[in-house]
Amino acid sequence: MAQWQSLQQLDSALQNRVKQLYEGRFPLEIRHWACDLIETRDWDSAAVDENAARTCFHVLLECLDEQWNRSVQENTILQAPNFGWMKNFLLEHLQNDCSNLARVLSDCLKEEKKILDLAAATPICSDQSVVPQKWKELDHNVSELKRKILELKKEIKTLESLNEKLDFIQKTWQSNAVEQNIQPVQIQAQMEQGCLNQAMFITQTKQIVLNQLVNLLNQASQTVATLTDVELPEWKRRQQLACIGSPVDTSLELLQKWFTAVAEVLLGVRDQLQKLQDQNNIYSPTDASNFSASIAAIDKFVLSNVTKLLTNALVVEKQPVMQKLPQRPLILKTGNRFRVTVRFLANLPDFRCLLKVKPVFDKDVEEVKSVSGFRLFDFTTDNSKVLDVDAPDGGLMAEFEHMSLREKLKRSKALSENPVGVTEELHILRFVTVLHHAGQTFNIEASSLPVVVVTSSSQVPSAWASIMWWNMVSTSEPMNLLLFADPPPISWQQLSQLLSWQFLSVGQRGLDGDQLSMLRDKLLSDPEGLVHWSKFSKDESVWIWIDGILDLIKKYFADLWRDGAIMGFVSRHRTSVLLQDKPTGTFLIRFSESIRDGAITFSWVDHSSGETHVHAVQPYTKKELSVLPLPDAINHYSLTAHGKSFNPLVYLYPDIPKDTAFQRYYNVSGAAPTKKNTTDYVGRNLASVSINPTPPPSPPREAPIYEDNNVNNNPLLPGVNCMDNNFDDLLDLPEDIFCPSNQLQPLSLRDAFNDPLLSDPNMMDH
């Protein structure tokens, strides 16, 4: 249980990342209650061995059975979790796919280890581990409300006893006097005076109780205002930032605790007011009118606070997200499934199964009526759900797991068109419900953050740019769905933070000052330090280039990025400056600036010819990295010069031996073998080779971003180029040989016949 215990010691932001690992993949409660077994099984082997996976599956079932039997023997069934549900989940969802269970747990355990390593390498700030003072004060105020309502209940109970006693005396003192042979006339004055004194005491007590009620309600009203006007908007803002990559805490644990407690107090006050009214009607009917007016005024005040609290209690806990894009919420594609989770923060037993929530697309959105060309969508099915206690924490929630959108019939074009593009058009999902409780009706709504609806996967990068921009600049309601008709700029400080979050989210490592400085030079031209929407997303497609690099990291070298082996955003000029004083063979890895869809390259320094030269290999694209992992490309990179082949890469910048930096990432002991075929061809390997580097005399200028990475043929030597292609076919050269870029020229046919290795007959046999 060591790993799970360690995870529970992390701060809430990292714990939330652990929670996200399991969302939609495996129940977190099973991970918790079967942690010992899960951490001791070999899930890596089970992931590739069906028999081993099935064995692990049955052992996991037995573990849950043992836990259930223990709770029965110890008579702790009510306190124990629902082990029966856990077992049924495994049987229903994973019994026929045990290998998938093994793959999921293998992956999650590895990711947990990465999070622990990240936490160990990150210094803990003292203020992060401390609960904010305002939360301590709010928690204290809520506890005080709970204490005061308990005292108030005791006071009203005492008041009821006093009324009952007085009523009993008034009705029985005469008969009791006769039984004791006392003439009623003799003690009448005394008894009447005693009853009058008791009645005055009761009246004073009632006034004290009313004053206590008013004081309690004033404090409760302030707490309601704090929850609905301060804490809830701040949580929603944190959720906005979390959606675009910020590692902030979005837990609802405290808010649910406070909403529930205050709702319980307010509803308890209404119950006590009714008891006071009933007592007054029974025991003081002559004083009923004045007292009833006071009770009614107080009850009206209570009801206004209850309404404010409950109508704000429904929240979208998890924003709309497609299963295919878990790290990019708020982008929805027509016809594709997405999920949303809503939660009711006032988690009282009386509310369970009373709230049926219905999602409505673009409800009360003015743009639907006022903007011509605004697209119309609807859900493919009725997705209404009843809120129930489904979460391990007992929360009152509903998860909409099978939602999808379809576009309605095209609207006829009016005189003016939609002022924003498809990936800038924003929509809203609203969740509506009605609560009937204690004779009152509460109309309750919650809204998602704005979503972008796309019809093609190619629109996702631009849509994500819109989502990031909107959530960075919009912090208040009502939501401006036409923000991109006239998009405001954002400061470089905001944008740099936003970009760093993207890399932190994808590769668990943000951008440092040097990397951001390079991006700043590309993005910032405004003298006031502002970045404009057109500069970021449209004119020069800088975001598309950055997004391509994020995709590279996610798919091909997230571990290298996380561990700091990749320098990343560093210009060619700065590369030369960093390497020129380093020993021969020192290299660094950086992102290509010339390939729009993202690519990566490495540059190394060479002092062997008496001059300092910095070489850069042609960038590796996604296609090449899909067949040759970057660590193996570095390990088996071969440079042929002056008749000799060698690997020029010796030290990873600044001075780390290559194998020390990359050995744990190597996948193969040699160059990647090609697929086996049934012919008599000689086998070959896929390797990374450069021949005869010719370094430029000075650092080249930055190349513009372009989409096509094909190397242009030499128009001056068309015949030679054609012969080169034919010669490659005759020699059966590797299909994916990686030719160097403008700094390392590919070997031509003419060069090949001039090469001593090929011109020497003795060498040709080798």
Side-chain angles (χ1 to χ4, degrees), residues 18-285:
V18 175
K19 182 180 178 182
Q20 291 173 355
L21 286 177
Y22 290 90
E23 287 179 357
R25 304 176 71 189
F26 188 77
L28 198 63
E29 49 267 43
I30 299 180
R31 173 66 180 97
H32 176 76
W33 291 100
C35 54
D36 284 333
L37 181 137
I38 288 175
E39 291 177 19
T40 55
R41 305 301 295 185
D42 186 1
W43 299 104
D44 293 341
S45 299
V48 294
D49 185 341
E50 179 64 31
N51 291 330
R54 188 160 294 280
T55 299
C56 289
F57 175 80
H58 287 293
V59 171
L60 185 56
L61 289 180
E62 292 174 2
C63 174
L64 295 177
D65 282 335
E66 291 175 3
Q67 297 265 27
W68 163 251
N69 293 333
R70 186 179 301 115
S71 66
V72 173
Q73 294 171 1
E74 297 175 356
N75 196 26
T76 58
I77 295 177
L78 295 180
Q79 298 96 314
N82 192 343
F83 291 113
W85 175 87
M86 298 182 199
K87 183 177 179 181
N88 289 336
F89 178 90
L90 294 176
L91 292 172
E92 291 177 9
H93 296 88
L94 297 168
Q95 184 176 17
N96 297 325
D97 196 2
C98 298
S99 295
N100 183 47
L101 167 67
R103 286 191 294 270
V104 168
L105 289 177
S106 173
D107 179 59
C108 288
L109 289 171
K110 291 176 183 176
E111 292 300 319
E112 287 179 4
K113 183 65 167 61
K114 292 177 182 178
I115 292 174
L116 287 173
D117 292 342
L118 177 65
T122 304
I124 300 176
C125 299
S126 59
D127 58 345
Q128 286 183 341
S129 58
V130 178
V131 177
Q133 182 62 31
K134 67 171 187 173
W135 287 2
K136 290 183 178 180
E137 294 175 358
L138 181 55
D139 197 64
H140 174 73
N141 291 339
V142 172
S143 298
E144 278 293 294
L145 289 175
K146 294 169 67 176
R147 182 186 63 80
K148 288 181 178 181
I149 189 64
L150 290 176
E151 292 181 353
L152 192 63
K153 288 180 179 180
K154 292 179 181 178
E155 292 286 347
I156 294 175
K157 186 68 176 176
T158 301
L159 188 60
E160 183 179 24
S161 298
L162 292 174
N163 275 308
E164 289 177 348
K165 181 179 179 180
L166 177 60
D167 183 65
F168 178 79
I169 292 174
Q170 288 175 332
K171 292 179 178 179
T172 62
W173 72 268
Q174 292 182 344
S175 59
N176 288 337
V178 172
E179 290 178 1
Q180 298 176 17
N181 297 320
I182 301 174
Q183 291 297 323
V185 178
Q186 297 175 356
I187 61 171
Q188 181 176 359
Q190 180 182 354
M191 294 303 300
E192 288 179 351
Q193 185 61 43
C195 290
L196 181 60
N197 292 339
Q198 182 74 355
M200 291 177 61
F201 178 75
I202 290 174
T203 300
Q204 293 173 354
T205 303
K206 284 197 297 186
Q207 191 59 48
I208 292 173
V209 168
L210 287 179
N211 290 338
Q212 289 177 339
L213 270 171
V214 171
N215 292 334
L216 171 62
L217 288 175
N218 285 333
Q219 184 178 345
S221 180
Q222 293 175 1
T223 304
V224 169
T226 300
L227 289 175
T228 59
D229 302 340
V230 179
E231 293 299 332
L232 187 57
E234 287 182 0
W235 175 84
K236 289 182 178 180
R237 180 57 182 163
R238 290 197 300 273
Q239 188 189 47
Q240 275 188 273
L241 299 181
C243 282
I244 55 176
S246 174
V248 293
D249 181 18
T250 58
S251 170
L252 284 168
E253 180 181 355
L254 286 176
L255 271 179
Q256 178 174 285
K257 172 187 174 182
W258 295 330
F259 265 78
T260 302
V262 176
E264 189 173 19
V265 167
L266 291 173
L267 294 177
V269 168
R270 293 201 77 202
D271 290 340
Q272 298 308 307
L273 285 173
Q274 186 60 50
K275 288 184 178 181
L276 282 176
Q277 182 65 59
D278 292 342
Q279 289 180 27
N280 203 67
N281 292 339
I282 295 172
Y283 303 114
S284 304

Side-chain angles (χ1 to χ4, degrees), residues 627-661:
V627 294
L628 182 63
L630 183 61
D632 293 329
I634 292 171
N635 186 32
H636 302 295
Y637 180 72
S638 178
L639 176 67
T640 299
H642 308 297
K644 297 180 180 179
S645 296
F646 64 99
N647 190 336
L649 310 178
V650 182
Y651 303 105
L652 177 67
Y653 183 89
D655 55 6
I656 306 172
K658 180 192 66 176
D659 288 341
T660 301

